[in-house]
């Protein structure tokens, strides 16, 4: 079955019937995301040799556009997921990509710090401190994270680990990482039901190899992949904080 046929089936069988209730109740569209997963659409952009659809930005943009027309919340979730997966595929573990391709993994972006001073604000506030052994403590409060508390992982930004120079580091933080906290009631910006909320790390403990990239190029360096995907994928005013975070 082509991705368009699979998408048409999901739109008619799952998303169309639940979109209004998702918006009215502001409940995360779990059934719609599950249907996209079962249809192989969460893995649309994962390389074919890793079990995915092997498709690219144009196809992903088409899917996000069509989903967003019916359900902006599900479209916001899918947009953040595709951008996160593009970064994971470039820098992360093939095992995670296979999990995405199999429909077992939803990812999202956690890039904007709650204490940033608006667009181009006060710089990177989140910190990464190495502890004994190969453990790193991430301290931050990320705001307006789509699918907060629903995703299986977060692309998480921080200042570099001490001694790592200037710029920024990006991490793959599992949803079950010790110390990760998401409020029970979402309060972030974005379409109702997108699950946008703050995510707290005070601290979150991750292994050192959870770091995907680190460099002194700042936002233009390590975030270039995420920037390209978000620029190409349509948005419905879903991530104002994310737009600030990537410039």
């Amino acid at each position: 079955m082509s991705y368009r046929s699979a998408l048409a089936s999901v739109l008619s069988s799952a998303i169309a019937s639940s979109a209004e209730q998702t918006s009215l109740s502001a409940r995360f569209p779990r059934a719609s995301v599950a249907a996209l997963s079962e249809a192989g659409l969460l893995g649309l952009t994962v390389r074919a040799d890793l079990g995915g659809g092997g498709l690219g930005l144009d196809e992903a943009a088409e899917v996000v556009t069509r989903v967003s027309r019916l359900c902006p919340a599900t479209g916001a979730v899918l947009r953040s997921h595709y951008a996160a997966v593009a970064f994971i595929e470039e820098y992360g573990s093939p095992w995670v990509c296979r999990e995405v391709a199999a429909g077992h993994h939803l990812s999202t972006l956690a890039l904007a710090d709650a204490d940033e001073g608006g667009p181009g604000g006060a710089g990177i506030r989140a910190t990464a401190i190495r502890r004994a052994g190969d453990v790193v403590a991430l301290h931050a409060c990320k705001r307006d994270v789509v699918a907060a508390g629903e995703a299986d992982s977060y692309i998480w930004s921080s200042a570099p680990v001490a001694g790592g120079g200037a710029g920024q580091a990006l991490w793959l933080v599992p949803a079950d990482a010790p110390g990760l906290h998401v409020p029970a009631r979402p309060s972030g910006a974005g379409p109702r039901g997108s699950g946008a909320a703050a995510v707290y790390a005070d601290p979150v403990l991750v292994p050192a190899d959870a770091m995907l990239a680190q460099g002194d190029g700042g936002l233009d360096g390590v975030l270039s992949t995420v920037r390209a995907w978000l620029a190409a994928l349509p948005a419905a005013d879903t991530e104002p904080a994310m737009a600030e975070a990537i410039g």
Side-chain angles (χ1 to χ4, degrees), residues 58-167:
D58 289 345
E59 294 84 1
E62 178 187 348
V63 171
V64 172
T65 298
R66 293 181 62 186
V67 169
S68 297
R69 285 173 185 159
L70 280 181
C71 182
T74 306
V77 171
L78 200 55
R79 179 177 186 256
S80 189
H81 169 77
Y82 281 152
V85 169
F87 198 87
I88 294 169
E89 190 161 15
E90 182 169 351
Y91 294 103
S93 162
W95 180 85
V96 177
C97 291
R98 291 189 182 96
E99 288 292 289
V100 173
H104 300 154
H105 194 100
L106 178 71
S107 194
T108 193
L109 303 174
L111 302 178
D113 294 320
D115 55 353
E116 284 180 351
I124 299 168
R125 304 282 184 173
T127 61
I129 301 171
R130 188 179 294 274
R131 291 191 172 180
D134 291 328
V135 175
V136 173
L138 302 176
H139 294 259
C141 174
K142 298 296 183 178
R143 60 188 170 98
D144 298 333
V145 178
V146 173
E150 302 286 348
D152 298 293
S153 67
Y154 301 85
I155 300 294
W156 187 280
S157 62
S158 77
V161 177

Side-chain angles (χ1 to χ4, degrees), residues 21-28 186 192-195:
Q21 187 60 35
T22 294
S23 178
L24 290 174
S25 66
R27 291 181 180 175
F28 187 79
R192 287 171 57 83
S194 63

Side-chain angles (χ1 to χ4, degrees), residues 162-218:
Q168 189 172 44
L170 290 182
W171 308 79
L172 183 66
V173 176
D176 59 357
L180 196 71
H181 172 64
V182 179
R185 190 181 298 262
S187 58
R192 287 171 57 83
S194 63
V199 179
Y200 296 87
D202 191 28
V204 162
L205 303 179
V206 296
D209 62 7
M211 186 171 68
L212 297 173
Q214 178 170 290
D216 57 11

Side-chain angles (χ1 to χ4, degrees), residues 7 13 15 18 21-22 37 44 60 68 73 129 178 184 193 200 226 228 241-242:
L7 176 59
S13 66
I15 296 177
S18 61
Q21 187 60 35
T22 294
S37 171
L44 179 77
S68 297
I129 301 171
Y200 296 87
V226 171
M242 190 183 303

